Amino acid sequence: LQRLLDEKELMKNIKEPLNLDDATFFQNVSKFPIVLVDFWAPWCGPCRMMAPIIDQTGKDYQGKLVVGKLNVEENPLVARQLAISSIPTLILFKKGMAVSTIVGSVSKNRIDEMVKMHLE
């Protein structure tokens, strides 16, 4: 119970998306109960269009969900391990396990539906 309270308290203090990398990716997605990861690259137009939506999702669910971003160009190992072949890709991790994936540019409503389905 104390661990759960500590996780919730830690999540409340995260106000910006986490910048994830190959070295710490799995450690970070396992640290929090639920993490939405945006796999993107700077040259990807749809990724840039999705960025403000992803940021807003983090604000909307602050304390309930952590948002992370992984630049696949700078961090190809995790992208390869997770078989990311198109970007943007959003993967929702629950207790370190991938539970839902969205590939491509989508509406805020579609992201909200995915998140709400997995919130406890």
Side-chain angles (χ1 to χ4, degrees):
L1 183 64
Q2 185 59 44
R3 181 172 176 254
L4 186 62
L5 292 172
D6 291 344
E7 287 171 348
K8 297 268 187 206
E9 196 56 40
L10 187 57
M11 287 174 66
K12 282 182 190 170
N13 294 323
I14 297 175
K15 297 184 182 355
E16 297 292 323
L18 301 175
N19 282 317
L20 303 172
D21 59 34
D22 282 342
T24 61
F25 180 83
F26 291 104
Q27 174 188 340
N28 276 308
V29 297
S30 297
K31 187 189 308 186
F32 304 102
I34 188 163
V35 182
L36 176 65
V37 179
D38 176 21
F39 294 86
W40 70 284
W43 48 262
C44 168
C47 297
R48 289 197 310 271
M49 284 177 22
M50 291 293 296
I53 296 170
I54 305 300
D55 293 349
Q56 186 59 50
T57 300
K59 290 180 176 110
D60 291 349
Y61 295 97
Q62 188 175 342
K64 298 177 185 170
L65 166 81
V66 172
V67 170
K69 295 187 177 211
L70 183 102
N71 179 334
V72 298
E73 195 169 85
E74 294 175 356
N75 301 282
L77 298 178
V78 169
R80 203 170 313 128
Q81 284 179 295
L82 296 175
I84 305 293
S85 58
S86 297
I87 52 174
T89 291
L90 302 175
I91 300 180
L92 191 67
F93 291 85
K94 200 167 187 181
K95 298 178 181 148
M97 301 294 295
V99 294
S100 194
T101 302
I102 295 175
V103 178
S105 193
V106 296
S107 70
K108 173 88 164 71
N109 287 343
R110 175 68 186 92
I111 296 168
D112 286 342
E113 287 171 9
M114 178 177 72
V115 169
K116 287 175 184 170
M117 198 165 65
H118 293 283
L119 282 178
E120 296 171 339

